[in-house]
Amino acid sequence: YVEVNRQRHTKSLLVMPQSLMLDWEVENFSALTELHFEKIAEYNAEVVLLGTGNKHQFLHPKVYQALSNKSIPLECMTTAAACRTYNILMSEGRNVLTALIL
């Protein structure tokens, strides 16, 4: 689970400084598709962090092409590392979106 604002979450979610999206329907890393990143691109974040679960994994660039088309960088890391990195970037006032696979 992850804890956001003292609430525990056990399903994958999207987190931004101003919002929390609990309807991100991703059960595991291998389920990610281009459609997931098209939705993420709509939020126009400065950077996207992808928490890939307990294991660090990388996506094929084709899967996150929607982000590349908008010049939004994607950083893949474990979910725990994504949470830590999100907190740092958010504290700097950055418009960061973190997609967490749980």
Side-chain angles (χ1 to χ4, degrees):
Y1 72 89
V2 295
E3 191 171 308
V4 180
N5 296 328
R6 298 185 185 161
Q7 261 191 314
R8 286 186 179 188
H9 300 277
T10 57
K11 292 185 178 184
S12 297
L13 67 158
L14 303 175
V15 181
M16 291 187 78
Q18 67 276 14
S19 60
L20 185 64
M21 291 73 74
L22 302 174
D23 62 345
W24 198 48
E25 300 291 328
V26 176
E27 292 185 25
N28 55 53
F29 180 83
S30 62
L32 288 170
T33 68
E34 290 97 350
L35 292 175
H36 292 110
F37 290 93
E38 287 173 14
K39 178 180 178 179
I40 289 171
E42 292 173 8
Y43 292 103
N44 293 313
E46 182 180 336
V47 62
V48 173
L49 307 175
L50 175 62
T52 60
N54 292 327
K55 182 180 171 188
H56 186 190
Q57 302 180 71
F58 292 99
L59 285 170
H60 189 283
K62 179 181 147 188
V63 177
Y64 61 91
Q65 185 65 45
L67 295 179
S68 299
N69 290 344
K70 290 183 130 185
S71 299
I72 300 171
L74 172 71
E75 298 291 335
C76 296
M77 57 193 76
T78 66
T79 295
C83 290
R84 291 189 300 271
T85 305
Y86 171 82
N87 286 330
I88 292 167
L89 295 176
M90 184 187 66
S91 73
E92 294 174 350
R94 305 275 302 272
N95 183 27
V96 59
L97 183 149
T98 303
L100 302 173
I101 299 174
L102 302 179

